[in-house]
């Protein structure tokens, strides 16, 4: 048996539907010790599937989950079971229909593709983010009811300490959710005047106005370097609870910046969370380092190119000169990369979603004589902006970084 695969078998009308996925990891390992998905490399080049209760004369049809294309697989009978062969690349999923079919479906061939030549792509790519860059702010000093400011503290721990000083409890699974608390708990709220100070640095000032994302933003008075932010709601980022306030470019200064938030706080509020500075700027080591985002990059780690905490999608684009030859297929093959997923498109062709190895896209139908534009979109993860960024078991707090990298 192949331990790292999971399967589900269902009956749909007169056919059986079998879905099998390769988890890429030994499933007997404790769930918390399996590591990152990107490190799950187990492959199975030769697998025999044995399925009982298949109808006499049943065919085995494989359906490509990404394209919907179908092929008929060779199958044999062994008593009441039907047997057929398949394989699993890294994290690959396969879908099979088992039953009688009246449709003409091509049989799986035995042709082996051969690479005749390779076309080199440019090392420099145009890059296009689909949202603003971000700088998370999750360390703050606080003053409660006019007390001296504390030392900088991680915001979730700070929230717990403030709740304690107001006679309340730390947030946890025992709590009633904030949207129910007003109806269920009518006891008197113990309130306090809370001031938060966040410190960040700018090597250069942003070239454009920015935005600050804050949960329950309407409850706060917000200042940057003594300048009050407009209370006008500018929409949201990521989640409708994370409201945006405009930050005028002139409010920033080179060097140290102080962001101040004031609130009348009590334990029945949703709680203090990380806030997010968003804008067309570059970042490194928790600082703003460039007045705008880069628009070109090499095939390397994007977090080292001014996008340290960027968590949106990123599109790479390049042009390549090709004169397609009749009878030849042209595939874009990608090697190591980091991201949640990836799509590829050529010229005005549709996006081709690549979910698992081999990361190869057939561009043949979309090529034209001369210049062809190739786009590769890496799908980002909110883990890169939302964390977890900090660990309790380390004196030296560090940020985890989800790499966006691309090798072509």
């Amino acid at each position: 048996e192949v331990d790292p695969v999971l399967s589900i078998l269902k009956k749909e009308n007169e056919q059986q539907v079998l879905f099998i996925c390769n988890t890429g990891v030994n499933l007997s390992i404790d769930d918390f010790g399996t590591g990152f998905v990107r490190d799950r490399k187990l492959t199975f080049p030769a697998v025999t599937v044995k399925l009982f209760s298949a109808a006499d004369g049943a065919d085995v049809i494989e359906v490509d989950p990404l394209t919907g294309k179908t092929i008929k697989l060779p199958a044999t009978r062994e008593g009441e079971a039907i047997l057929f062969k398949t394989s699993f690349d890294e994290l690959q999923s396969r879908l099979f229909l088992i039953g009688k079919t009246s449709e003409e479906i091509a049989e799986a061939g035995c042709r082996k593709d051969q690479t005749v030549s390779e076309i080199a792509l440019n090392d420099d790519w145009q890059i296009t983010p689909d949202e603003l860059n971000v700088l998370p702010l999750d360390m703050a000093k606080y003053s409660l009811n006019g007390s001296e400011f504390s030392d900088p503290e991680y915001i979730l721990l700070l929230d717990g300490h403030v709740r304690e000083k107001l006679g309340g409890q730390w947030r946890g699974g025992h709590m009633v959710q904030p949207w129910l608390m007003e109806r269920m708990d009518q006891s008197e709220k113990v309130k306090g005047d809370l001031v938060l100070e966040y410190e960040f640095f700018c090597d250069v000032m942003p070239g454009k106005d920015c935005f600050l994302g804050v949960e329950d933003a309407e409850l706060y008075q917000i200042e940057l370097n003594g300048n009050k932010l407009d209370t006008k709601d500018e929409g949201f980022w990521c989640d409708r609870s994370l409201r945006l306030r405009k930050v005028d470019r002139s409010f920033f200064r080179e060097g140290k910046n102080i962001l101040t938030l004031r609130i009348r706080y009590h334990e029945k509020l949703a709680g203090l969370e990380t806030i997010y500075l968003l804008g067309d700027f570059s970042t490194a080591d928790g600082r703003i380092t460039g007045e705008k985002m880069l628009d070109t990059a090499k095939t390397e780690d994007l977090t080292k190119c001014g996008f340290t905490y960027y968590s949106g999608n990123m599109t790479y684009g390049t042009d390549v000169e090709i004169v397609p030859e009749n009878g030849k297929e042209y595939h874009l093959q990608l090697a190591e990369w980091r991201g949640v997923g990836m799509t590829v498109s050529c010229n005005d062709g549709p996006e081709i979603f690549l979910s698992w190895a081999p990361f190869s896209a057939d561009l043949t139908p979309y090529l034209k004589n001369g210049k062809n534009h190739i786009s590769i979109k890496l799908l980002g993860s909110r883990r890169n902006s939302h964390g977890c960024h900090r660990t309790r078991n380390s004196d030296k707090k560090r940020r985890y970084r989800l790499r966006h990298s691309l090798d072509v």
Side-chain angles (χ1 to χ4, degrees), residues 159-160 163 169-178 181 267 270:
D159 179 80
R163 287 170 180 271
Q169 294 182 320
W170 285 54
R171 282 189 291 176
H174 62 279
M175 288 181 60
V176 176
Q177 293 295 330
M181 191 169 294
E267 67 163 321

Side-chain angles (χ1 to χ4, degrees), residues 193-225:
D193 292 318
L194 178 64
V195 182
L196 303 172
E197 282 193 356
Y198 298 82
E199 180 181 292
F200 66 94
F201 289 82
C202 293
D203 295 342
V204 297
M205 291 175 58
K208 299 179 181 178
D209 293 341
C210 298
F211 296 92
L212 185 69
V214 183
E215 291 193 30
D216 295 322
E218 71 280 0
L219 301 179
Y220 292 91
Q221 298 176 10
I222 307 175
E223 298 178 1
L224 177 58
N225 298 322

Side-chain angles (χ1 to χ4, degrees), residues 18-29:
L18 176 63
F19 178 77
I20 308 176
C21 68
N22 174 21
T23 65
V25 65
N26 192 325
L27 296 176
S28 63
I29 297 176

Side-chain angles (χ1 to χ4, degrees), residues 61-71 95 105 362 365-366:
I61 308 300
E62 180 170 6
V63 182
D64 188 325
L66 296 180
T67 66
K69 293 180 179 179
T70 58
I71 57 172
L95 179 63
I105 299 176
D362 184 1
Y366 317 112

Side-chain angles (χ1 to χ4, degrees), residues 329-349:
E329 294 184 355
Y330 294 79
H331 294 252
L332 179 67
Q333 181 73 43
L334 294 105
E336 290 294 325
W337 62 281
R338 291 288 183 266
V340 171
M342 172 171 48
T343 67
V344 174
S345 61
C346 179
N347 297 323
D348 296 324

Side-chain angles (χ1 to χ4, degrees), residues 256-292:
K256 184 168 72 173
N257 290 256
I258 300 295
L259 186 64
T260 306
L261 279 70
R262 293 181 171 86
I263 185 175
R264 184 73 170 158
Y265 197 69
H266 58 82
E267 67 163 321
K268 296 177 184 179
L269 293 177
L272 306 175
E273 296 285 352
T274 301
I275 61 177
Y276 299 89
L277 188 61
L278 300 131
D280 183 7
F281 49 69
S282 298
T283 64
D285 299 323
R287 310 165 67 94
I288 293 177
T289 57
E291 64 179 11
K292 66 177 184 178

